[in-house]
């Protein structure tokens, strides 16, 4: 037998106010943890009936496999590039743990989470439901179930995410996922607190800083976003942190600083092509197409779209869509360009094929959903189906949350919707709101959108075009000095 002795110490006097020994065999060590927790809770809360969560598994070997799998999974999640072999190893360990203890809700929940991260939503469904069946009061089971509903675009996707936070307000993943859902569906209120709680509980996770910094930047809190950047600079010195810092700088419109940090990421990890691709994108954003092409001679779909090289983009995207039929973002980009080049029926077919229009009524999952609605409304408007476009925009406005911040995507999208509805004065007001944004608008969404065609000579619209042109010119001009200040070179 092994004896575990537990004491409660009074914080003022330093005297023991309760103690109890627990004698157990070696195979019972996992179970005794729950008994100790329950006994301590009974002493501290004698008038309540606290429910202590069951141990994660009844099997010591399964517990070891769960811990190792979690370690591997966390390593994968902390990297910008997914290591499929390491993630597959984590998935296999979760499955082995379940074979040893099929009653472990946590093992099923974590297997489902890893499978979703791997991109296999279908395989994740059974363990996600099994975890919920075994223990609906387990926060990770609710969180994983919510993620599954989110991925599927099912109704009430926010409910299990909120329930996970309620069950365990100290679970960083649940806090961050719920923050994202709440932001896109209910608005900014309370989101800052959720992201900050996740960060406080998980202070060495780069993605926590990135999520908070992005939220602050998009909601026009540039000072707050810069504070997050300074915290990251003080804590981290890795390619992943350099890339995350660059992303926040990009969102606050300081793209010259974003370029400097992406150069650092590239230099620290020269074999990672994503660093070079992102670097090229930042040069496209500031209007330096020549440098972008030197960095990546084989331009991808996203860069061709931002450079407004639509025919080239269509040719490439049509080839890629056969190899990556599940890539929803690719379909949205291609549909957008079909619309811009007056291929309206093709645009409508592609947007419909994403499935987004069937799920958006259940909640907004992020930029892809908004992009699809924007392409659809502009396609209808540009093809002469004005009333259909207006019905869609009115439904959108009445059903989904709309931000009112200056961030270019928000202000310009809202202005576009007002223009489609014929609310010209409101469209001009919202365009003027975009003048407060430092972040750079994508040229196709501003210059080529159907909703702005009749505003081509309008002073409010022309002022916005000039605003972003001037910012790009300013950033190109100050970039050399910024790179010298950082001690980096292209």
């Amino acid at each position: 037998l092994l004896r575990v002795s537990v004491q409660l110490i009074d914080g003022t006097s330093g005297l023991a106010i309760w103690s109890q020994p627990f004698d157990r065999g070696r195979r019972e060590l996992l179970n005794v943890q729950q008994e100790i927790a329950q006994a301590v809770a009974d002493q501290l809360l004698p008038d309540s009936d606290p429910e202590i969560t069951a141990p994660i598994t009844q099997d010591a070997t399964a517990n070891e496999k769960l811990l190792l799998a979690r370690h591997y999974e966390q390593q994968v999640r902390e990297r910008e590039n997914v290591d499929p072999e390491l993630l597959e190893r984590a998935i296999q360990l979760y499955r082995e743990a379940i074979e040893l203890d099929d009653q472990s809700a946590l093992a099923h929940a974590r297997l489902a989470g890893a499978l979703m991260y791997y991109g296999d939503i279908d395989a994740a469904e059974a363990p996600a439901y099994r975890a919920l069946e075994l223990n609906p009061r387990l926060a990770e089971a609710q969180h994983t179930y919510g993620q599954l509903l989110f991925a599927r675009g099912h109704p009430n996707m926010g409910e299990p995410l909120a329930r996970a936070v309620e069950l365990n307000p100290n679970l960083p993943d649940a806090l961050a996922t719920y923050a994202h859902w709440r932001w896109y569906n209910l608005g900014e209120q309370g989101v800052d607190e959720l992201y900050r709680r996740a960060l406080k509980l998980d202070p060495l996770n780069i993605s926590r800083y990135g999520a908070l910094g992005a939220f602050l930047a998009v909601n026009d809190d540039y000072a707050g976003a810069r504070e997050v950047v300074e915290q990251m600079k003080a804590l981290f010195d890795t390619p992943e942190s350099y890339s995350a810092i660059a992303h926040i700088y990009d969102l606050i419109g300081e793209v010259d600083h974003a370029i400097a940090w992406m150069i650092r990421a590239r230099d620290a990890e020269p074999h990672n092509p994503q660093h070079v691709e992102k670097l090229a994108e930042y040069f496209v954003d500031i209007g330096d197409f020549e440098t972008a092409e030197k960095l990546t001679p084989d331009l991808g779909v996203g860069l061709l779209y931002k450079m407004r090289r639509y025919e080239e983009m269509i040719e490439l995207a049509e080839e890629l869509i056969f190899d990556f039929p599940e890539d929803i973002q690719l379909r949205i980009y291609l549909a957008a360009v079909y619309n811009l080049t007056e291929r309206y029926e093709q645009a409508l077919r592609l947007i419909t094929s994403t499935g987004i229009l069937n799920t958006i009524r259940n909640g907004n999952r992020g930029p892809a959903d908004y992009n699809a609605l924007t392409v659809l409304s502009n396609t209808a408007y540009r093809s002469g189906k004005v009333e259909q476009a207006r019905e869609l925009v009115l439904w959108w406005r009445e059903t989904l949350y709309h931000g009112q911040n200056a961030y270019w995507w928000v202000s310009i999208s809202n202005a576009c919707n007002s223009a489609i509805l014929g609310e010209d004065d409101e469209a001009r007001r919202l365009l003027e709101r975009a003048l407060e944004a430092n972040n750079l608008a994508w040229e196709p969404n501003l210059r080529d959108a159907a909703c702005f065609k009749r505003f081509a000579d309008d002073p409010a619209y022309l002022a916005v075009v000039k605003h972003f042109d001037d910012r790009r010119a300013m950033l190109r001009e100050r970039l050399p000095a910024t790179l010298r200040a950082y001690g980096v070179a292209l």
Side-chain angles (χ1 to χ4, degrees), residues 391-438:
E391 288 177 8
L392 177 62
V393 169
L394 284 172
W395 173 86
W396 182 357
R397 181 182 285 181
E398 294 169 359
T399 306
L400 301 178
Y401 166 74
H402 276 68
Q404 296 298 319
N405 42 310
Y407 181 71
W408 80 266
W409 172 248
V410 176
S411 53
I412 289 177
S413 294
N414 287 343
C416 183
N417 284 343
S418 291
I420 289 174
L421 292 173
E423 302 170 348
D424 290 6
D425 288 343
E426 179 65 6
R428 293 185 183 95
R429 185 189 72 81
L430 290 164
L431 284 169
E432 290 173 358
R433 187 86 170 92
L435 298 176
E436 303 171 27
N438 287 341

Side-chain angles (χ1 to χ4, degrees), residues 190-451:
V191 175
D192 180 285
E193 179 189 355
L194 289 166
Y195 277 134
R196 290 187 187 277
R197 280 167 56 192
L199 176 57
K200 185 176 181 180
L201 291 162
D202 196 10
L204 296 181
N205 188 321
I206 293 170
S207 68
R208 307 291 180 217
Y209 293 87
L212 175 60
F215 170 77
L216 295 172
V218 169
N219 286 283
D220 307 331
D221 187 355
Y222 298 151
R226 290 190 186 97
E227 287 180 10
V228 173
V229 165
E230 293 307 315
Q231 291 172 347
M232 295 176 72
K233 290 178 183 178
L235 286 171
F236 306 108
D237 189 20
T238 65
E240 291 77 23
S241 67
Y242 302 159
S243 178
I245 289 170
H247 180 59
I248 296 174
Y249 271 128
D250 175 43
L251 291 175
I252 62 178
E254 297 179 1
V255 189
D256 53 331
H257 291 268
I259 289 172
W261 282 95
M262 281 311 305
I263 291 174
R264 283 189 169 183
R266 180 204 62 183
D267 292 348
E269 202 173 34
H271 301 298
N272 186 340
Q274 290 191 8
H275 297 325
V276 177
E277 291 166 6
K278 197 63 184 179
L279 192 57
E281 184 176 358
Y282 290 151
F283 275 100
V284 168
D285 288 341
I286 65 172
D288 186 349
F289 296 171
E290 182 180 353
T291 300
E293 289 195 73
K294 288 179 180 177
L295 287 165
T296 54
D298 296 325
L299 296 170
V301 166
L303 294 185
L304 289 171
Y305 176 76
K306 282 189 169 185
M307 296 166 73
R308 303 166 72 200
R309 289 163 58 170
Y310 299 139
E311 294 300 331
E312 294 173 69
M313 192 208 122
I314 289 173
E315 183 178 354
L316 176 60
E318 288 178 337
E319 292 177 5
L320 290 174
I321 211 162
F322 287 103
D323 297 325
F324 305 99
E326 302 302 319
D327 190 332
I328 290 178
Q329 190 61 63
L330 176 62
R331 289 176 178 271
I332 294 172
Y333 272 135
L334 183 53
V337 178
Y338 279 154
N339 171 49
L340 295 175
T341 54
E342 301 183 1
R343 298 167 168 93
Y344 305 124
E345 293 303 319
Q346 291 167 281
L348 291 172
R349 281 200 300 271
L350 264 183
I351 286 296
T352 303
S353 73
T354 65
I356 286 176
L357 301 179
N358 298 323
T359 61
I360 189 69
R361 66 176 63 90
N362 299 325
N364 176 23
R365 293 173 294 172
D369 287 5
Y370 270 136
N371 289 341
L373 286 176
T374 298
V375 173
L376 184 62
S377 60
N378 271 270
T379 299
Y381 187 71
R382 187 163 183 155
S383 63
K385 301 175 181 177
V386 176
E387 288 307 312
Q388 182 178 328
R390 287 177 173 173
E391 288 177 8
L392 177 62
V393 169
L394 284 172
W395 173 86
W396 182 357
R397 181 182 285 181
E398 294 169 359
T399 306
L400 301 178
Y401 166 74
H402 276 68
Q404 296 298 319
N405 42 310
Y407 181 71
W408 80 266
W409 172 248
V410 176
S411 53
I412 289 177
S413 294
N414 287 343
C416 183
N417 284 343
S418 291
I420 289 174
L421 292 173
E423 302 170 348
D424 290 6
D425 288 343
E426 179 65 6
R428 293 185 183 95
R429 185 189 72 81
L430 290 164
L431 284 169
E432 290 173 358
R433 187 86 170 92
L435 298 176
E436 303 171 27
N438 287 341
N439 34 71
L440 298 175
W442 292 8
E443 289 281 81
N445 298 60
L446 178 61
R447 290 184 182 271
D448 301 329
C451 56

Side-chain angles (χ1 to χ4, degrees), residues 113-127:
L115 286 167
M116 280 190 279
Y117 198 75
Y118 191 70
D120 195 344
I121 307 300
D122 291 339
E125 188 165 311

Side-chain angles (χ1 to χ4, degrees), residues 52-84:
I52 304 300
T53 302
I56 62 174
T57 175
Q58 302 289 340
D59 187 284
T61 304
N63 185 60
E64 292 174 3
K65 290 181 179 292
L66 278 174
L67 292 174
L68 185 57
R70 187 63 166 174
H71 172 68
Y72 289 154
E73 184 185 355
Q74 289 296 92
Q75 282 187 315
V76 173
R77 288 179 180 268
E78 289 170 4
R79 299 276 303 170
E80 190 172 14
N81 292 333
V82 173
D83 183 337

